[in-house]
Coordinates of all heavy atoms in Angstrom, one line a residue:
M1 N 150.7 76.9 80.4 CA 150.1 75.8 81.3 C 150.0 76.5 82.7 O 150.9 77.1 83.2 CB 151.0 74.6 81.4 CG 150.6 73.6 82.4 SD 151.8 72.4 82.7 CE 151.4 71.1 81.6
T2 N 148.8 76.2 83.3 CA 148.6 76.7 84.7 C 148.7 75.5 85.6 O 148.3 74.4 85.3 CB 147.3 77.4 84.8 OG1 146.2 76.5 84.5 CG2 147.2 78.7 83.9
T3 N 149.1 75.8 86.8 CA 149.2 74.8 87.8 C 148.3 75.1 89.0 O 148.1 76.3 89.3 CB 150.6 74.5 88.3 OG1 151.1 75.8 88.9 CG2 151.5 74.1 87.2
T4 N 147.6 74.2 89.5 CA 146.8 74.4 90.7 C 147.6 74.1 92.0 O 148.3 73.1 92.0 CB 145.5 73.6 90.6 OG1 145.9 72.2 90.5 CG2 144.7 73.9 89.5
P5 N 147.4 74.8 93.0 CA 148.2 74.5 94.2 C 147.7 73.2 94.8 O 146.6 72.9 94.8 CB 147.8 75.7 95.1 CG 146.6 76.4 94.5 CD 146.6 76.0 93.1
T6 N 148.7 72.5 95.3 CA 148.4 71.2 95.9 C 148.3 71.3 97.4 O 147.9 70.3 98.1 CB 149.4 70.1 95.5 OG1 150.7 70.7 95.9 CG2 149.4 69.9 94.0
T7 N 148.6 72.4 98.0 CA 148.5 72.6 99.4 C 147.5 73.6 99.7 O 147.2 74.5 99.0 CB 149.9 73.1 100.0 OG1 150.3 74.3 99.3 CG2 151.0 72.1 99.8
F8 N 146.8 73.4 100.9 CA 145.8 74.3 101.4 C 146.3 75.0 102.6 O 147.0 74.5 103.4 CB 144.5 73.5 101.6 CG 143.9 72.8 100.4 CD1 144.3 71.5 100.1 CD2 143.1 73.5 99.5 CE1 143.7 70.9 99.0 CE2 142.6 72.9 98.3 CZ 143.0 71.6 98.1
A9 N 145.7 76.2 102.8 CA 146.0 76.9 104.1 C 145.4 76.1 105.2 O 144.3 75.7 105.2 CB 145.5 78.3 104.0
I10 N 146.2 75.9 106.3 CA 145.7 75.1 107.5 C 145.8 76.0 108.6 O 146.7 76.8 108.9 CB 146.7 73.9 107.6 CG1 146.7 73.0 106.4 CG2 146.4 73.2 108.9 CD1 145.4 72.2 106.2
L11 N 144.8 75.9 109.5 CA 144.7 76.5 110.8 C 144.9 75.5 111.9 O 144.3 74.4 111.8 CB 143.4 77.3 111.0 CG 143.1 78.5 110.2 CD1 141.7 79.0 110.5 CD2 144.1 79.6 110.5
D12 N 145.6 75.9 113.0 CA 145.6 75.1 114.2 C 144.7 75.8 115.2 O 145.0 76.8 115.7 CB 147.0 75.0 114.8 CG 147.9 74.0 114.0 OD1 147.4 73.0 113.5 OD2 149.1 74.3 113.9
L13 N 143.5 75.2 115.4 CA 142.5 75.8 116.3 C 142.5 75.0 117.6 O 142.5 73.8 117.6 CB 141.1 75.8 115.7 CG 140.9 76.7 114.5 CD1 139.5 76.7 114.0 CD2 141.4 78.1 114.8
E14 N 142.4 75.7 118.7 CA 142.4 75.1 120.1 C 141.0 74.5 120.4 O 140.0 75.1 120.1 CB 142.8 76.1 121.1 CG 143.0 75.5 122.5 CD 143.5 76.5 123.5 OE1 143.8 77.6 123.1 OE2 143.7 76.1 124.7
L15 N 141.1 73.3 121.0 CA 139.8 72.8 121.6 C 139.7 73.2 123.0 O 140.7 73.1 123.8 CB 139.9 71.2 121.6 CG 140.1 70.6 120.2 CD1 140.1 69.1 120.3 CD2 138.9 71.0 119.3
C16 N 138.5 73.8 123.4 CA 138.3 74.4 124.7 C 137.3 73.7 125.5 O 136.2 73.6 125.0 CB 137.9 75.9 124.6 SG 139.1 76.9 123.7
G17 N 137.7 73.2 126.6 CA 136.7 72.4 127.5 C 136.7 71.0 127.2 O 137.3 70.5 126.2
G18 N 136.1 70.2 128.1 CA 136.0 68.8 127.9 C 137.3 68.0 128.0 O 138.3 68.6 128.4
R19 N 137.3 66.8 127.5 CA 138.5 65.9 127.7 C 139.7 66.4 126.9 O 140.9 66.3 127.2 CB 138.2 64.5 127.2 CG 139.4 63.6 127.2 CD 139.0 62.1 126.9 NE 140.1 61.3 127.1 CZ 140.8 60.7 126.1 NH1 140.4 60.9 124.9 NH2 141.8 59.9 126.3
W20 N 139.4 67.1 125.7 CA 140.5 67.5 124.8 C 140.9 69.0 125.0 O 141.6 69.5 124.1 CB 140.0 67.3 123.4 CG 139.9 65.8 123.0 CD1 138.7 65.1 123.1 CD2 140.9 65.0 122.7 NE1 138.9 63.8 122.7 CE2 140.3 63.6 122.5 CE3 142.3 65.0 122.5 CZ2 141.0 62.5 122.2 CZ3 143.0 63.9 122.2 CH2 142.4 62.7 122.0
D21 N 140.6 69.5 126.1 CA 140.9 70.9 126.4 C 142.4 71.2 126.2 O 143.2 70.5 126.7 CB 140.5 71.3 127.9 CG 140.6 72.7 128.2 OD1 140.3 73.5 127.4 OD2 141.1 73.0 129.3
G22 N 142.6 72.3 125.5 CA 144.0 72.7 125.2 C 144.7 72.0 124.0 O 145.7 72.5 123.6
H23 N 144.1 71.0 123.5 CA 144.7 70.4 122.3 C 144.4 71.2 121.0 O 143.4 71.9 121.0 CB 144.1 69.0 122.1 CG 144.7 67.9 123.0 ND1 144.3 67.9 124.3 CD2 145.6 67.0 122.8 CE1 144.9 66.9 124.9 NE2 145.8 66.3 124.0
L24 N 145.3 71.1 120.1 CA 145.1 71.7 118.8 C 144.5 70.8 117.7 O 144.9 69.6 117.7 CB 146.4 72.3 118.3 CG 147.0 73.4 119.2 CD1 148.3 73.9 118.6 CD2 146.1 74.6 119.4
K25 N 143.7 71.3 116.9 CA 143.1 70.5 115.8 C 143.4 71.3 114.5 O 143.1 72.5 114.4 CB 141.6 70.4 116.0 CG 140.9 69.5 114.9 CD 141.3 68.1 115.0 CE 140.6 67.2 114.0 NZ 141.1 65.9 113.9
R26 N 143.9 70.6 113.5 CA 144.2 71.2 112.2 C 143.0 71.1 111.3 O 142.4 70.0 111.1 CB 145.4 70.5 111.6 CG 146.7 70.7 112.3 CD 147.8 70.3 111.5 NE 148.9 71.1 112.0 CZ 150.1 71.3 111.4 NH1 150.3 70.8 110.3 NH2 151.0 72.1 112.0
V27 N 142.6 72.3 110.8 CA 141.4 72.4 109.9 C 141.8 73.2 108.7 O 142.8 74.0 108.7 CB 140.2 72.9 110.6 CG1 139.8 72.0 111.7 CG2 140.5 74.4 111.1
H28 N 141.0 73.1 107.6 CA 141.2 74.0 106.4 C 140.8 75.4 106.8 O 139.8 75.6 107.4 CB 140.4 73.5 105.2 CG 140.9 72.2 104.7 ND1 142.0 72.1 103.9 CD2 140.4 71.0 104.8 CE1 142.2 70.9 103.6 NE2 141.2 70.2 104.1
A29 N 141.7 76.4 106.4 CA 141.4 77.7 106.8 C 140.2 78.3 106.1 O 139.5 79.2 106.7 CB 142.7 78.6 106.5
F30 N 140.0 77.9 104.9 CA 138.9 78.4 104.1 C 137.5 77.8 104.4 O 136.5 78.4 104.2 CB 139.1 78.3 102.6 CG 140.4 79.0 102.2 CD1 141.5 78.3 101.7 CD2 140.5 80.4 102.3 CE1 142.6 78.9 101.3 CE2 141.7 81.0 101.9 CZ 142.7 80.3 101.4
A31 N 137.5 76.7 105.0 CA 136.3 76.0 105.3 C 136.3 75.1 106.5 O 136.3 73.9 106.5 CB 135.8 75.1 104.1
P32 N 136.6 75.7 107.7 CA 136.6 74.8 108.9 C 135.3 74.2 109.2 O 134.3 74.8 109.0 CB 137.0 75.8 110.0 CG 136.6 77.2 109.6 CD 136.7 77.1 108.1
P33 N 135.3 72.9 109.6 CA 134.0 72.3 109.9 C 133.3 72.9 111.0 O 133.9 73.5 111.9 CB 134.4 70.8 110.2 CG 135.8 70.9 110.5 CD 136.4 72.0 109.8
P34 N 131.9 73.0 111.0 CA 131.2 73.7 112.0 C 131.2 73.0 113.4 O 131.1 73.5 114.4 CB 129.7 73.7 111.5 CG 129.7 72.7 110.4 CD 131.0 72.5 109.9
S35 N 131.5 71.7 113.3 CA 131.7 70.9 114.6 C 132.6 69.8 114.4 O 132.9 69.3 113.2 CB 130.3 70.4 115.1 OG 129.8 69.4 114.2
L36 N 133.2 69.3 115.5 CA 134.1 68.2 115.4 C 133.7 67.1 116.4 O 133.2 67.5 117.5 CB 135.5 68.6 115.8 CG 136.2 69.6 115.0 CD1 137.5 70.1 115.6 CD2 136.5 69.1 113.6
R37 N 133.9 65.9 116.1 CA 133.7 64.8 117.1 C 135.1 64.2 117.5 O 135.8 63.8 116.6 CB 132.8 63.6 116.5 CG 131.4 64.0 116.3 CD 130.6 62.9 115.8 NE 129.3 63.3 115.4 CZ 128.3 63.3 116.3 NH1 128.4 62.9 117.5 NH2 127.1 63.7 115.9
M38 N 135.4 64.2 118.7 CA 136.7 63.7 119.2 C 136.4 62.5 120.1 O 135.5 62.4 120.9 CB 137.4 64.8 120.0 CG 137.7 66.1 119.2 SD 138.8 65.8 117.9 CE 140.3 65.5 118.8
V39 N 137.3 61.5 119.9 CA 137.1 60.2 120.6 C 137.3 60.4 122.2 O 138.2 61.0 122.6 CB 138.1 59.1 120.1 CG1 138.0 57.9 120.9 CG2 137.8 58.9 118.7
L40 N 136.4 59.9 122.9 CA 136.5 59.9 124.4 C 137.1 58.6 124.9 O 137.9 58.5 125.7 CB 135.1 60.0 125.0 CG 134.6 61.4 125.3 CD1 133.2 61.3 125.9 CD2 135.4 62.1 126.3
R41 N 136.6 57.5 124.3 CA 137.0 56.1 124.7 C 137.3 55.2 123.5 O 136.6 55.3 122.5 CB 136.0 55.5 125.6 CG 135.8 56.2 126.9 CD 134.6 55.5 127.7 NE 134.5 56.1 129.0 CZ 133.8 57.2 129.2 NH1 133.2 57.8 128.3 NH2 133.8 57.7 130.4
A42 N 138.3 54.4 123.6 CA 138.6 53.5 122.5 C 137.6 52.3 122.5 O 137.4 51.7 121.4 CB 140.1 52.9 122.7
D43 N 137.1 51.9 123.6 CA 136.2 50.7 123.6 C 134.7 51.2 123.6 O 134.5 52.3 124.1 CB 136.5 49.8 124.8 CG 136.4 50.6 126.1 OD1 136.6 51.8 126.1 OD2 136.2 49.9 127.2
L44 N 133.9 50.4 123.1 CA 132.5 50.7 123.0 C 131.7 50.1 124.1 O 132.1 49.0 124.6 CB 131.9 50.2 121.7 CG 132.4 50.9 120.4 CD1 131.9 50.3 119.2 CD2 132.1 52.4 120.4
P45 N 130.6 50.7 124.6 CA 129.8 50.1 125.6 C 129.2 48.8 125.2 O 128.9 48.6 124.0 CB 128.7 51.1 125.9 CG 128.7 52.0 124.7 CD 130.0 52.0 124.1
A46 N 129.0 47.8 126.2 CA 128.4 46.6 125.9 C 126.9 46.8 126.0 O 126.3 46.6 127.1 CB 128.9 45.5 126.9
T47 N 126.2 47.2 124.9 CA 124.8 47.5 125.0 C 123.9 46.3 125.3 O 122.9 46.5 125.9 CB 124.3 48.1 123.7 OG1 124.7 47.2 122.6 CG2 124.9 49.5 123.4
D48 N 124.4 45.1 125.0 CA 123.7 43.9 125.3 C 123.6 43.7 126.9 O 122.7 43.0 127.4 CB 124.2 42.7 124.6 CG 125.7 42.5 124.9 OD1 126.3 43.4 125.2 OD2 126.1 41.3 124.7
A49 N 124.6 44.3 127.6 CA 124.6 44.1 129.0 C 124.0 45.4 129.7 O 124.1 45.5 130.9 CB 126.1 44.0 129.5
G50 N 123.4 46.3 128.9 CA 122.8 47.5 129.4 C 123.8 48.6 129.7 O 123.4 49.6 130.3
Q51 N 125.0 48.5 129.2 CA 126.0 49.6 129.5 C 125.8 50.7 128.5 O 125.5 50.5 127.3 CB 127.4 49.1 129.4 CG 127.8 48.1 130.4 CD 129.2 47.6 130.2 OE1 129.8 47.9 129.2 NE2 129.7 47.0 131.3
Y52 N 126.0 51.9 129.0 CA 125.9 53.1 128.0 C 126.9 54.1 128.7 O 126.8 54.4 129.9 CB 124.6 53.7 127.9 CG 124.6 55.0 127.1 CD1 124.8 55.0 125.8 CD2 124.7 56.2 127.8 CE1 124.9 56.2 125.1 CE2 124.8 57.4 127.1 CZ 124.9 57.4 125.8 OH 125.1 58.6 125.1
W53 N 127.7 54.7 127.9 CA 128.5 55.9 128.2 C 128.9 56.6 127.0 O 128.9 56.0 125.9 CB 129.7 55.5 129.1 CG 130.7 54.6 128.5 CD1 131.7 54.9 127.6 CD2 130.8 53.2 128.6 NE1 132.4 53.8 127.2 CE2 131.9 52.7 127.8 CE3 130.1 52.2 129.4 CZ2 132.2 51.4 127.8 CZ3 130.4 51.0 129.3 CH2 131.5 50.5 128.5
P54 N 129.2 57.9 127.1 CA 129.6 58.6 125.9 C 130.9 58.1 125.3 O 131.8 57.7 126.0 CB 129.8 60.0 126.4 CG 129.1 60.1 127.8 CD 129.1 58.7 128.3
T55 N 130.9 58.1 124.0 CA 132.1 57.6 123.3 C 132.8 58.7 122.5 O 134.0 58.6 122.1 CB 131.8 56.4 122.3 OG1 130.8 56.9 121.5 CG2 131.3 55.2 123.1
T56 N 132.1 59.9 122.3 CA 132.7 61.0 121.6 C 132.4 62.3 122.3 O 131.3 62.4 123.0 CB 132.3 61.1 120.2 OG1 130.9 61.2 120.1 CG2 132.7 59.9 119.4
S57 N 133.2 63.3 122.2 CA 132.9 64.6 122.6 C 132.7 65.4 121.4 O 133.4 65.3 120.4 CB 134.2 65.3 123.3 OG 134.2 64.8 124.7
V58 N 131.7 66.4 121.5 CA 131.4 67.2 120.3 C 131.9 68.6 120.6 O 131.6 69.2 121.7 CB 129.9 67.2 120.1 CG1 129.5 68.2 119.0 CG2 129.4 65.8 119.7
Y59 N 132.6 69.2 119.7 CA 133.1 70.6 119.8 C 132.5 71.4 118.7 O 132.5 71.0 117.5 CB 134.6 70.6 119.7 CG 135.3 70.0 121.0 CD1 135.4 68.7 121.2 CD2 135.7 70.8 122.0 CE1 136.0 68.1 122.2 CE2 136.3 70.3 123.1 CZ 136.5 69.0 123.2 OH 137.0 68.5 124.4
R60 N 132.0 72.6 119.0 CA 131.5 73.4 118.0 C 132.4 74.7 117.8 O 132.9 75.2 118.7 CB 130.0 73.9 118.4 CG 129.1 72.7 118.6 CD 127.7 73.0 118.3 NE 126.8 71.9 118.6 CZ 126.6 70.9 117.9 NH1 127.3 70.7 116.7 NH2 125.8 69.9 118.3
L61 N 132.5 75.1 116.5 CA 133.3 76.2 116.1 C 132.8 77.5 116.8 O 131.6 77.8 116.7 CB 133.4 76.4 114.6 CG 134.2 77.5 114.1 CD1 135.7 77.3 114.5 CD2 134.1 77.6 112.6
D62 N 133.6 78.3 117.4 CA 133.3 79.5 118.0 C 134.2 80.6 117.4 O 135.2 80.9 117.9 CB 133.5 79.5 119.5 CG 133.1 80.8 120.2 OD1 132.5 81.7 119.5 OD2 133.4 80.9 121.4
P63 N 133.7 81.2 116.2 CA 134.6 82.2 115.6 C 134.5 83.6 116.2 O 135.2 84.5 115.7 CB 134.0 82.2 114.1 CG 132.5 81.8 114.3 CD 132.5 80.9 115.5
D64 N 133.6 83.8 117.1 CA 133.4 85.2 117.7 C 134.3 85.6 118.8 O 134.2 86.7 119.2 CB 131.9 85.3 118.1 CG 131.0 85.1 116.9 OD1 131.3 85.4 115.8 OD2 129.8 84.6 117.1
G65 N 135.0 84.7 119.4 CA 135.9 85.0 120.5 C 137.1 85.8 120.0 O 137.2 86.1 118.8
P66 N 138.0 86.1 121.0 CA 139.2 86.9 120.6 C 140.1 86.1 119.6 O 140.7 86.6 118.7 CB 140.0 87.1 121.9 CG 139.3 86.2 122.9 CD 137.9 85.9 122.4
V67 N 140.0 84.7 119.7 CA 140.7 83.8 118.8 C 139.7 82.7 118.5 O 139.1 82.1 119.4 CB 142.0 83.2 119.5 CG1 142.6 82.2 118.6 CG2 142.9 84.3 119.9
P68 N 139.6 82.4 117.2 CA 138.6 81.3 116.8 C 139.1 80.0 117.5 O 140.3 79.7 117.5 CB 138.8 81.2 115.3 CG 139.3 82.5 114.9 CD 140.2 83.0 116.0
C69 N 138.1 79.3 118.0 CA 138.4 78.0 118.7 C 137.2 77.1 118.6 O 136.1 77.5 118.1 CB 138.8 78.2 120.1 SG 137.5 78.7 121.2
Y70 N 137.4 75.8 119.0 CA 136.3 74.9 119.1 C 135.9 74.7 120.6 O 136.8 74.4 121.4 CB 136.6 73.5 118.5 CG 136.6 73.5 117.0 CD1 137.7 73.8 116.2 CD2 135.4 73.2 116.4 CE1 137.6 73.8 114.9 CE2 135.3 73.2 115.0 CZ 136.4 73.5 114.2 OH 136.4 73.5 112.9
R71 N 134.7 75.0 121.0 CA 134.2 74.9 122.4 C 133.5 73.6 122.6 O 132.7 73.2 121.8 CB 133.3 76.1 122.8 CG 134.0 77.4 122.7 CD 133.6 78.3 123.8 NE 134.4 79.5 123.8 CZ 135.5 79.7 124.4 NH1 136.1 78.8 125.2 NH2 136.2 80.9 124.3
H72 N 133.8 73.0 123.7 CA 133.1 71.7 124.1 C 131.6 71.9 124.2 O 131.1 72.9 124.8 CB 133.6 71.2 125.4 CG 133.0 69.9 125.8 ND1 132.1 69.8 126.9 CD2 133.3 68.7 125.3 CE1 131.8 68.5 127.0 NE2 132.5 67.8 126.0
S73 N 130.8 71.2 123.4 CA 129.4 71.3 123.4 C 128.7 70.2 124.3 O 128.0 70.5 125.2 CB 128.9 71.2 122.0 OG 127.5 71.2 121.9
H74 N 129.0 69.0 124.1 CA 128.5 67.9 124.8 C 129.2 66.6 124.5 O 130.0 66.5 123.6 CB 127.0 67.8 124.6 CG 126.6 67.5 123.2 ND1 126.5 68.4 122.3 CD2 126.2 66.4 122.6 CE1 126.1 67.9 121.1 NE2 126.0 66.6 121.3
D75 N 128.9 65.6 125.3 CA 129.4 64.2 125.0 C 128.3 63.4 124.4 O 127.1 63.5 124.8 CB 129.9 63.6 126.3 CG 131.2 64.3 126.8 OD1 131.9 64.9 126.0 OD2 131.4 64.2 128.0
E76 N 128.6 62.4 123.5 CA 127.7 61.5 123.0 C 128.1 60.1 123.2 O 129.3 59.8 123.0 CB 127.5 61.8 121.5 CG 126.8 63.1 121.2 CD 126.5 63.3 119.7 OE1 127.1 62.5 118.9 OE2 125.7 64.2 119.4

């Protein structure tokens, strides 16, 4: 009988720039997502009152630096 592993290799990658600068995000080592969305605000804008502001920050994987990390791309 063969068993399949139930745990996956995990990487802690740093978020660089933006609101989440310096925080670590856990991702699968074999398939890190190409981008992450991180919450900026808990409440949503009142669009019926004409309010708009970003609610998430987007971070994109930067594997080419000295250490792989997610760099702040923009806010949405």
Side-chain angles (χ1 to χ4, degrees):
M1 174 196 266
T2 60
T3 58
T4 56
T6 56
T7 58
F8 297 97
I10 300 291
L11 288 177
D12 285 326
L13 295 183
E14 185 175 0
L15 300 177
C16 300
R19 178 176 187 249
W20 294 97
D21 186 42
H23 284 77
L24 297 178
K25 182 67 178 172
R26 292 191 154 201
V27 296
H28 289 287
F30 298 116
S35 65
L36 299 172
R37 288 182 190 272
M38 300 294 291
V39 174
L40 270 176
R41 294 178 173 84
D43 55 337
L44 295 174
T47 54
D48 55 338
Q51 294 179 346
Y52 171 79
W53 60 81
T55 55
T56 58
S57 281
V58 177
Y59 289 82
R60 301 212 186 279
L61 182 61
D62 180 10
D64 298 328
V67 176
C69 68
Y70 282 93
R71 296 220 177 267
H72 183 251
S73 177
H74 60 281
D75 294 334
E76 291 184 346

